[in-house]
Amino acid sequence: MNYTAEEMYAIAHKFETTGNIAEIRPLGPGFINDTFIVKTRGDNDARYILQRKNHNIFPDIPGMMKNIELVTGHIRKKVLAEGGDPLREVLTLTERKPGSMTDEERKAPSGHLYFRDEKGNYWTMCLFIEGSVTYEKADTPELCYKGGVGIGKFQAQLSDFTTPLNETIKGFHNIRWRFTQWDESVRKDAAGRVKDLAEEIGWIDARRKEMLDFWSKVEDGTIPTRVTHNDTKISNILFDDKGDVLCVIDLDTCMSSTSLNDFGDAIRSYTNTGAEDDRNLDKVGISLEMFEAYTRGYLSQRKDNLTASEIGSLAFSARYITFEQVLRFLMDYIDGDKYYKTAYPGHNLVRTHAQYKLLLSMEENYDAMRKIVEKYAE
Ligand code: GN1
Ligand code: MG
């Protein structure tokens, strides 16, 4: 990412902020997009999130922004109806300054929601929610419980959303499609790494059938399709200073899929006693205490609305999404680290091993996980 300060200011100026832009700083360790925080000074000081969306990963940014506009608009109505604060309980997109737009931009689909610069990169902006807190890891059962309530509420708010959404990444959590990509990657062996990965590739092969069997239930409708977030790791959730969920962020992957993805991906991050890329595998595993707390919170919002097939698959969904993550990290390592940003050589392999350790721990604790789900689904 090579942008001078002047270029960054010019990009931020394309959006309708209050006050003058005073500072632009990078924010967070996102794996996909580049994120900045923009401070303004004026009558109402405010902060904004400016993001360069990765169009190599999201091929249709206008379609993605359309999804986000529709979904946030729907949630905003629900928040207002309940007397909540729409500036804190849902993401607020910042539009382009009308005067900064060319006729062509004005006419483009979702043209008011992004700026495409001369390098071909896409930029978007939204309001920063003051006083919000994010976590890389859940440190208390209380936080897990509240995260579960938050994701449950998010799904409930969208349960009557019927407008078709664009598929922003093809087959995102569709393991059949992931296996198609996987077989191609292993065959191509673009970085010449396959020869050293017999053990890891065996982990994937050994679980192919059970994962495809699960996905068949989504394909044949046994498990229903709903509007889901698809990236519910804890760092994509804003909490307030009391630990209550304010809103879910990073809506890039909001699409139609199974609600189980959101449960599974949350469990993958909330309950891990180690880091997603821990080198010390002894630290990695599922905390059943955290699992119970999240499940209790989530089902308090959703148990009356989920089908028996969904409830019956909740515990497995954690294994499904964690398996998929092992596959995706390993596939990216095989491809030569093209998808995820990495901090050092071999980072994707470290991530693969750490997520595999988490998967093993979920497999060992599967009966206990199922019993916990049953307890709170009653
Ligand atoms: C990416 O965008 P971010 O960093 O929240 C990825 C998720 C992975 C996650 C692993 C669009 O999430 O699917 O689970 O990394 N997002 C995309 O931490 O691929
Ligand atoms: Mg994301």
Side-chain angles (χ1 to χ4, degrees):
M1 254 272 312
N2 281 326
Y3 284 83
T4 63
E6 286 70 31
E7 285 171 325
M8 291 299 297
Y9 274 76
I11 291 164
H13 266 116
K14 301 280 180 191
F15 293 89
E16 189 85 274
T17 57
T18 64
N20 298 318
I21 294 165
E23 194 184 299
I24 304 180
R25 272 187 301 114
L27 180 78
F31 292 1
I32 310 284
N33 300 318
D34 296 308
T35 308
F36 300 83
I37 185 149
V38 176
K39 245 191 207 173
T40 66
R41 294 238 167 75
D43 293 343
N44 302 304
D45 289 4
R47 289 196 281 176
Y48 297 83
I49 298 291
L50 176 66
Q51 241 184 1
R52 186 184 71 88
K53 298 285 188 187
N54 189 327
H55 62 274
N56 296 320
I57 286 179
F58 295 102
D60 177 15
I61 306 278
M64 177 175 92
M65 294 313 291
K66 184 74 199 162
N67 284 358
I68 300 178
E69 183 180 34
L70 288 170
V71 164
T72 54
H74 188 87
I75 297 179
R76 182 165 299 105
K77 279 192 211 135
K78 295 282 165 85
V79 170
L80 283 167
E82 285 164 15
D85 181 349
L87 290 177
R88 297 180 67 71
E89 293 171 40
V90 62
L91 211 71
T92 303
L93 293 172
T94 307
E95 298 192 4
R96 290 285 303 278
K97 276 187 194 132
S100 83
M101 294 172 77
T102 62
D103 279 349
E104 206 182 319
E105 286 176 325
R106 207 168 287 124
K107 282 192 221 125
S110 307
H112 60 300
L113 294 175
Y114 67 87
F115 169 63
R116 188 164 189 212
D117 68 25
E118 301 95 67
K119 296 176 186 162
N121 288 320
Y122 289 82
W123 297 85
T124 68
M125 198 185 259
C126 66
L127 207 61
F128 175 82
I129 300 178
E130 296 296 337
S132 59
V133 185
T134 54
Y135 298 88
E136 282 303 315
K137 221 156 102 67
D139 39 19
T140 63
E142 190 61 10
L143 189 65
C144 283
Y145 169 79
K146 289 182 167 173
V149 171
I151 293 294
K153 202 168 147 197
F154 175 81
Q155 290 186 351
Q157 286 168 325
L158 290 171
S159 59
D160 57 347
F161 181 94
T162 50
T163 318
L165 290 172
N166 297 301
E167 189 177 30
T168 54
I169 296 184
K170 179 179 156 69
F172 192 53
H173 287 311
N174 172 342
I175 208 70
R176 195 176 302 284
W177 173 243
R178 292 294 182 189
F179 274 121
T180 302
Q181 293 179 314
W182 164 263
D183 290 338
E184 182 67 10
S185 287
V186 174
R187 193 187 59 73
K188 268 195 186 150
D189 190 15
R193 292 174 171 168
V194 164
K195 62 182 183 328
D196 300 319
L197 297 171
E199 187 186 351
E200 290 84 351
I201 290 173
W203 302 339
I204 304 297
D205 285 340
R207 291 165 180 81
R208 188 185 287 249
K209 185 177 178 312
E210 66 178 354
M211 296 299 159
L212 287 171
D213 284 349
F214 168 80
W215 193 252
S216 298
K217 291 195 249 171
V218 177
E219 291 167 326
D220 70 16
T222 310
I223 293 173
T225 293
R226 303 179 189 272
V227 178
T228 51
H229 181 279
N230 295 304
D231 192 5
T232 48
K233 64 178 179 183
I234 188 168
S235 57
N236 283 335
I237 301 190
L238 299 185
F239 294 85
D240 68 11
D241 54 3
K242 294 194 292 299
D244 289 316
V245 170
L246 281 171
C247 65
V248 183
I249 54 170
D250 194 0
L251 300 172
D252 301 355
T253 52
C254 207
M255 293 180 260
S256 294
S257 191
T258 154
S259 61
L260 295 165
N261 297 339
D262 288 355
F263 182 84
D265 201 30
I267 296 302
R268 182 182 73 79
S269 71
Y270 278 80
T271 68
N272 187 355
T273 50
E276 188 181 68
D277 58 353
D278 227 308
R279 285 172 181 277
N280 181 353
L281 296 181
D282 292 340
K283 283 197 186 158
V284 177
I286 183 170
S287 156
L288 286 178
E289 189 189 16
M290 300 293 186
F291 180 81
E292 175 153 4
Y294 186 91
T295 304
R296 183 164 64 85
Y298 176 70
L299 285 177
S300 74
Q301 304 298 305
R302 297 299 289 149
K303 69 172 177 183
D304 296 333
N305 305 89
L306 298 179
T307 64
S309 63
E310 287 173 296
I311 299 221
S313 299
L314 280 175
F316 189 79
S317 74
R319 286 169 55 181
Y320 178 85
I321 289 287
T322 307
F323 170 81
E324 184 197 288
Q325 198 64 68
V326 176
L327 181 152
R328 290 174 62 198
F329 283 146
L330 185 56
M331 184 162 74
D332 196 32
Y333 182 68
I334 290 173
D335 292 344
D337 309 311
K338 298 279 185 262
Y339 187 96
Y340 291 108
K341 289 187 207 162
T342 51
Y344 52 85
H347 195 175
N348 273 320
L349 190 58
V350 170
R351 288 167 170 156
T352 303
H353 280 250
Q355 290 287 289
Y356 181 64
K357 175 72 198 306
L358 179 63
L359 176 61
L360 287 179
S361 166
M362 288 176 175
E363 289 172 350
E364 279 156 24
N365 287 285
Y366 186 50
D367 287 341
M369 289 159 69
R370 287 181 67 90
K371 288 210 180 78
I372 290 168
V373 170
E374 279 165 25
K375 179 170 158 192
Y376 293 101
E378 273 175 12

